[in-house]
Amino acid sequence: MKDFAGKIAVITGGGTGMGRELARQLVAEGCNVAMCDVSAEAMAETKRLCEVEKLPQGLRITTHIADVSIEDQFLRFRDELIEQQATDRIHLLFNNAGIGGGGSLFTNTREQWERTFNICWGGVYLGVRTFLPLLVKADEGHIVNTSSVNGFWASVGLGVSHTAYCSAKFAVKGFTEALMNDLRLNAPHIKCSVVMPGHIGTSIVSNSRKVQNGSDQLTPNEIVQSRQRLKGMGIDVAGLSDDQIQQIALDRAQKFHDEAPTTAAAAAKFILDGVKAERWRILVGDDAHRLDQRVRQAPEKAYTPEFYQSFAEEVGWRLG
Ligand SMILES: NC(=O)c1ccc[n+]([C@@H]2O[C@H](COP(=O)([O-])OP(=O)(O)OC[C@H]3O[C@@H](n4cnc5c(N)ncnc54)[C@H](O)[C@@H]3O)[C@@H](O)[C@H]2O)c1
């Protein structure tokens, strides 16, 4: 797809981060956008930002509350879109919504684990199931599924269990790669791409807590885990109160946003350029490219402490 003007795009998780920036850049190119999110407030802000520039006449930006892990909510989103965008077809589907957390089979509950998995994997699967009939009706279409570098490398460092997110992101990558041929055989006017971002400056750390815990505060169990993790990093936690641990977690979430090598806006541009170039694999950020090379060069070493330390030093990651 060479040009987005006059097309209709669906974006899941359009409230903040890369979803918001995708919406802004698509609208700037004259594309209609229908987004969903769990936060009405965040979507209202995305819509406001899109409307700051004068919109082309008749361009529609619609917002829809839907949790992507729940099929009924996805179907309601689809029905609202058909009505409010006055269409029976879409051209672009960005399955972007995702959260982290719930990463351990030992220290997290099953509900937390499955919440992350069902959003990161289930949201992509249900997104494709729900919107495929509308894509098929368009003259050309493109599905963009957001995985992660954690779709080919299952770690964020040695001090963190990360099983739910990595399983989901590997599933998104495998699904999208297999989908390419299914589309070629059955709907050749639709293409698909898997997006694998490195560290992007967004509020995903605090947003994930909001989705998992109902607020950006750590649960009592997470405070215990945080103490263990900080201790493992050589920090003396004995004299720190729970409030101080909360503050450290809030600061780390802010740093994740502020100190990333790639902004959400730059990431959205890479993604849209990748779609225009019809690339099926879209690595986002220099860190993602380097990690991809390193894992391919030495797969057997990929989960050793030396691998992580040397990679983190090279790209300046301080996540684990
Ligand atoms: N930020 C990174 O470093 C990074 C790296 C690799 C991959 N990713 C992936 O990129 C995608 C976008 O993440 P981001 O960094 O922009 O995060 P973000 O938190 O800024 O944006 C994600 C949006 O999805 C929404 N959301 C969460 N759960 C939802 C649900 N169940 N239903 C609907 N909406 C929901 C959130 O409210 C939020 O608005 C995610 O899939 C994430 O896993 C991010």
Side-chain angles (χ1 to χ4, degrees):
M1 191 178 297
K2 300 285 169 248
D3 157 29
F4 304 135
K7 306 274 195 318
I8 301 181
V10 164
I11 305 172
T12 68
T16 58
M18 285 182 262
R20 169 179 287 172
E21 298 304 326
L22 284 167
R24 294 178 72 181
Q25 292 176 29
L26 285 162
V27 166
E29 294 198 33
C31 187
N32 300 281
V33 167
M35 73 188 85
C36 81
D37 204 289
V38 287
S39 168
E41 217 181 321
M43 282 192 289
E45 177 59 7
T46 299
K47 190 171 179 197
R48 189 191 69 76
L49 288 166
C50 290
E51 288 170 347
V52 165
E53 304 295 328
K54 200 173 172 322
L55 299 183
Q57 199 162 12
L59 190 135
R60 290 183 165 100
I61 305 167
T62 56
T63 60
H64 311 264
I65 285 285
D67 180 328
V68 295
S69 64
I70 302 171
E71 187 164 14
D72 282 352
Q73 297 196 12
F74 240 130
L75 295 173
R76 194 185 60 216
F77 170 28
R78 179 203 60 194
D79 293 346
E80 287 175 9
L81 175 151
I82 290 171
E83 195 192 325
Q84 294 175 26
Q85 297 267 351
T87 187
D88 63 351
R89 63 202 61 195
I90 65 162
H91 306 87
L92 289 151
L93 170 61
F94 295 88
N95 284 308
N96 159 81
I99 63 162
S104 171
L105 293 174
F106 298 91
T107 58
N108 288 117
T109 63
R110 181 168 174 164
E111 287 69 28
Q112 289 171 324
W113 199 99
E114 290 180 3
R115 184 98 184 97
T116 295
F117 187 79
N118 292 342
I119 292 172
C120 288
W121 158 245
V124 171
Y125 170 67
L126 291 175
V128 173
R129 279 265 177 225
T130 304
F131 285 105
L132 201 53
L134 279 74
L135 282 158
V136 167
K137 284 190 191 148
D139 51 356
E140 57 173 340
H142 203 118
I143 299 168
V144 183
N145 292 333
T146 297
S147 172
S148 163
V149 290
N150 286 144
F152 61 80
W153 181 69
S155 172
V156 276
L158 304 169
V160 197
S161 300
H162 203 42
T163 64
Y165 188 83
C166 293
S167 316
K169 295 299 186 180
F170 267 69
V172 171
K173 181 167 181 284
F175 170 63
T176 312
E177 293 193 20
L179 184 60
M180 264 195 297
N181 211 42
D182 200 14
L183 292 170
R184 241 181 238 145
L185 291 170
N186 297 299
H189 62 302
I190 307 175
K191 307 278 184 280
C192 66
S193 306
V194 57
V195 173
M196 293 166 283
H199 178 191
I200 312 299
T202 72
S203 303
I204 190 167
V205 176
S206 52
N207 287 338
S208 299
R209 279 193 204 119
K210 284 182 198 157
V211 173
Q212 281 279 9
N213 306 340
S215 91
D216 60 1
Q217 297 290 303
L218 300 179
T219 61
N221 184 32
E222 285 169 341
I223 292 180
V224 174
Q225 286 174 40
S226 220
R227 283 186 183 279
Q228 279 163 359
R229 183 165 152 179
L230 292 167
K231 207 170 157 193
M233 292 161 78
I235 297 169
D236 180 12
V237 289
L240 296 178
S241 68
D242 286 357
D243 284 350
Q244 285 170 312
I245 300 282
Q246 290 281 10
Q247 194 52 49
I248 290 172
L250 288 176
D251 293 346
R252 284 172 67 87
Q254 191 59 44
K255 276 190 181 160
F256 185 91
H257 178 283
D258 297 345
E259 294 180 1
T262 309
T263 64
K269 174 138 183 24
F270 278 125
I271 296 168
L272 295 179
D273 286 349
V275 172
K276 283 183 182 159
E278 292 194 353
R279 290 212 313 274
W280 71 262
R281 66 195 304 271
I282 304 176
L283 288 160
V284 182
D286 191 43
D287 50 353
H289 284 277
R290 288 184 198 212
L291 189 54
D292 182 46
Q293 281 163 9
R294 279 185 177 239
V295 173
R296 282 166 196 279
Q297 271 162 13
E300 198 60 43
K301 295 208 168 69
Y303 301 111
T304 59
E306 300 74 38
F307 181 97
Y308 179 73
Q309 277 148 10
S310 143
F311 169 70
E313 240 163 65
E314 183 191 347
V315 301
W317 269 21
R318 273 174 286 162
L319 306 177

